[in-house]
Amino acid sequence: MFKFSFYDGDKSAGSDGDRPTGHPVTRLAIQEHPVPASPLLPSNEVSTLSLCGHQIKLLNGDQVILRLEREGAAGDLSLALKSHTDLIPDVYEGGMKLWECSQDLVAYLDAHVPLAGLRVTELGCGAALPAVFCLLRGAAAVTVQDYNREVVDHLTIPNMRLNVTATQLAGCRALSGDWGALAALLRTERRPGADLVLTSETIYSRESWARLLEAVDAALAPAGSALVAAKTCYFGVGGGTRAFEQAVLEDGRFSSEVVFATQQGLQREILRLKRC
Ligand SMILES: C[S@@+](CC[C@H](N)C(=O)[O-])C[C@H]1O[C@@H](n2cnc3c(N)ncnc32)[C@H](O)[C@@H]1O
């Protein structure tokens, strides 16, 4: 079973991923990040992933964090770097690493979803592999969002700039901050909703599901659908696809259907949510 390496700097913190005692509960506010409409040339921090007929260039998140630390710019990522953790609840949520369900999502999109012309939003994007793939397949407009602004500025946006043209970048939008604040912003803006909302490895913590569903609801066009790629069970944290399906049912806004499942390695699935 999959288990996150959680911050345990405070020994009173539970091993179940609870926030360490005394840690501030303040969640990050929403922030808009300019997306330069100019492609980026590969550097020695970039490697190439061959996936679904594309050679996708991606920055190595570990190297990026180390560079930011050297430059004194690691911000909220510093604590994670020092304590060698995958994530620290409400501080750093693991966006600098590329998680395996994002590749499941790309393979599913490749096989089942014609992306040309679609408006796409990726929530909790981190490296934004699915968003980059959507752009490579001709999505008309892509919005990406991650919790941490350092992730958006130093990983998400560079990964987009490494792979797509200036014209495509001009149609992209990047945001950082918590899903609750994102939902509030999107509801005030009243922009056209996304045809497709994507999210990968974002349902490990039950505590954030209500805000994630709120963000999906605010981002999605009336006839759109959301694809949630995740592990069946995040051991010790309480998250996973079965429990999330139950939460979706209780929330009442969406229907949920398993559209992909694999037993290879860790059990992983993709759920498709549609408005009821
Ligand atoms: C485990 S990482 C997965 C990253 C990426 N989707 C992937 O699959 O490689 C979880 C992602 O969800 C985002 N996230 C977690 N909780 C969040 C919240 N409350 N609001 C906004 N984003 C959140 C994090 O910033 C992080 O990028």
Side-chain angles (χ1 to χ4, degrees), residues 19-259:
R19 182 185 304 104
T21 305
H23 186 77
V25 186
T26 317
R27 297 197 178 98
L28 296 180
I30 208 75
Q31 188 177 324
E32 182 107 29
H33 297 246
V35 181
S38 56
L40 205 61
L41 292 175
S43 68
N44 57 5
E45 289 176 350
V46 174
S47 50
T48 302
L49 181 66
S50 182
L51 198 59
C52 302
H54 296 277
Q55 301 294 313
I56 301 179
K57 297 178 203 71
L58 296 171
L59 277 166
N60 178 313
D62 288 340
Q63 287 182 26
V64 173
I65 300 183
L66 288 170
R67 171 167 50 81
L68 293 178
E69 185 73 0
R70 279 197 304 276
E71 294 168 356
D76 288 334
L77 314 185
S78 290
L79 189 54
L81 182 72
K82 289 191 182 93
S83 44
H84 303 286
T85 54
D86 288 329
L87 55 85
I88 303 170
D90 296 327
V91 177
Y92 165 61
E93 296 276 352
M96 276 290 181
K97 193 170 146 182
L98 180 66
W99 297 81
E100 60 186 331
C101 292
S102 63
Q103 297 196 37
D104 293 339
L105 196 45
V106 168
Y108 180 83
L109 292 170
D110 178 49
H112 301 285
V113 186
L115 292 163
L118 293 192
R119 304 182 66 84
V120 179
T121 293
E122 183 175 357
L123 299 175
C125 62
L129 175 65
V132 167
F133 182 77
C134 290
L135 285 163
L136 291 170
R137 288 292 171 91
V142 170
T143 297
V144 286
Q145 172 276 338
D146 195 82
Y147 188 66
N148 295 100
R149 62 174 190 267
E150 293 85 0
V151 172
V152 172
D153 279 337
H154 299 289
L155 187 69
T156 309
I157 293 175
N159 279 347
M160 294 164 88
R161 294 176 67 202
L162 280 165
N163 289 284
V164 305
T165 64
T167 312
Q168 288 170 304
L169 288 166
C172 294
R173 182 181 198 200
L175 298 155
S176 66
D178 184 67
W179 290 317
L182 174 71
L185 173 77
L186 296 179
R187 290 196 194 289
T188 55
E189 289 182 334
R190 297 175 168 272
R191 294 182 185 217
D195 306 299
L196 187 60
V197 170
L198 304 174
T199 193
S200 158
E201 305 254 18
T202 50
I203 61 164
Y204 47 84
S205 165
R206 288 169 182 254
E207 192 274 330
S208 63
W209 289 352
R211 284 173 288 120
L212 176 58
L213 287 173
E214 189 61 16
V216 172
D217 190 33
L220 197 60
S225 58
L227 295 172
V228 179
K231 298 190 172 88
T232 306
C233 179
Y234 291 91
F235 181 70
V237 198
T241 45
R242 288 295 76 68
F244 184 70
E245 277 181 322
Q246 186 59 34
V248 171
L249 190 68
E250 286 165 16
D251 176 85
R253 282 177 283 189
F254 305 100
S255 64
S256 166
E257 177 190 4
V258 178
V259 293

